[in-house]
């Protein structure tokens, strides 16, 4: 059985929402750095650039092959399973910045209860923090 690895970022990785027009409607989105290599995170872990790049490329390839977006859940789960009722954002834009070892892009709340929660919190002035999740051994 694989162990769940959760990564939390410091304040510098909190991303303020901004509104943009999408399909003629105002929608909140989150733009910025979603993960960064070779830096100590709040869990006192450091993910080497090569490992983070490989994880990003695998996730992106899987998304492109399956036609499913890369998604984020509301809150950390205690297992490595997808919980559909917790899906809160999708990432329509993600890129790997080789020079800086960063995953950067844009997250958009989903039309689910969890997505509405994220959007409501952002519109109420809360910073939204993003965290990576993977499974493996440490």
């Amino acid at each position: 059985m694989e162990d769940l690895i959760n990564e939390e970022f410091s304040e510098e990785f909190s991303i303020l929402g901004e509104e943009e027009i999408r399909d003629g409607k105002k929608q909140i989105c989150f733009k910025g750095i979603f993960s960064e290599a070779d830096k100590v995170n709040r869990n006192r872990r450091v993910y080497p650039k090569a490992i983070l790049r490989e994880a990003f490329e695998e996730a992106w390839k899987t998304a492109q092959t399956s036609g499913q977006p890369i998604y984020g859940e509301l809150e950390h789960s205690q297992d490595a399973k997808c919980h559909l009722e917790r899906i809160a954002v999708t990432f329509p834009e993600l890129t790997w910045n080789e020079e800086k070892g960063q995953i950067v892009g844009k997250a958009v709340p989903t039309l689910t209860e969890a997505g509405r929660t994220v959007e409501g919190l952002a519109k109420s002035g809360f910073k939204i923090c993003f965290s990576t999740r993977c499974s493996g051994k440490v």
Side-chain angles (χ1 to χ4, degrees), residues 8-102:
E8 296 181 18
F9 293 112
S10 64
E11 283 296 305
E12 67 186 280
F13 288 99
S14 298
I15 299 173
L16 287 172
E18 56 185 66
E19 288 189 342
E20 67 178 24
I21 304 298
R22 184 175 174 196
D23 297 329
K25 299 178 186 174
K26 279 188 181 180
Q27 181 178 34
I28 197 142
C29 68
F30 307 93
K31 296 178 182 178
I33 301 166
F34 290 99
S35 193
E36 187 165 22
D38 299 325
K39 278 198 169 187
V40 177
N41 65 28
R42 285 177 39 191
N43 294 331
R44 295 178 302 283
R45 291 192 187 105
V46 176
Y47 295 106
K49 186 190 253 186
I51 299 295
L52 189 58
R53 179 190 325 107
E54 182 181 338
F56 168 77
E57 288 172 353
E58 184 177 324
W60 192 252
K61 180 181 173 186
T62 300
Q64 296 302 308
T65 302
S66 70
Q68 295 283 349
I70 295 176
Y71 65 89
E73 292 184 16
L74 185 62
E75 297 291 338
H76 285 292
S77 63
Q78 297 303 307
D79 57 37
K81 297 177 184 174
C82 171
H83 299 272
L84 295 176
E85 72 279 3
R86 294 167 52 127
I87 293 177
V89 296
T90 60
F91 296 89
E93 297 174 19
L94 279 180
T95 58
W96 172 255
N97 182 321
E98 180 64 30
E99 182 181 328
K100 295 182 178 182
Q102 298 172 332

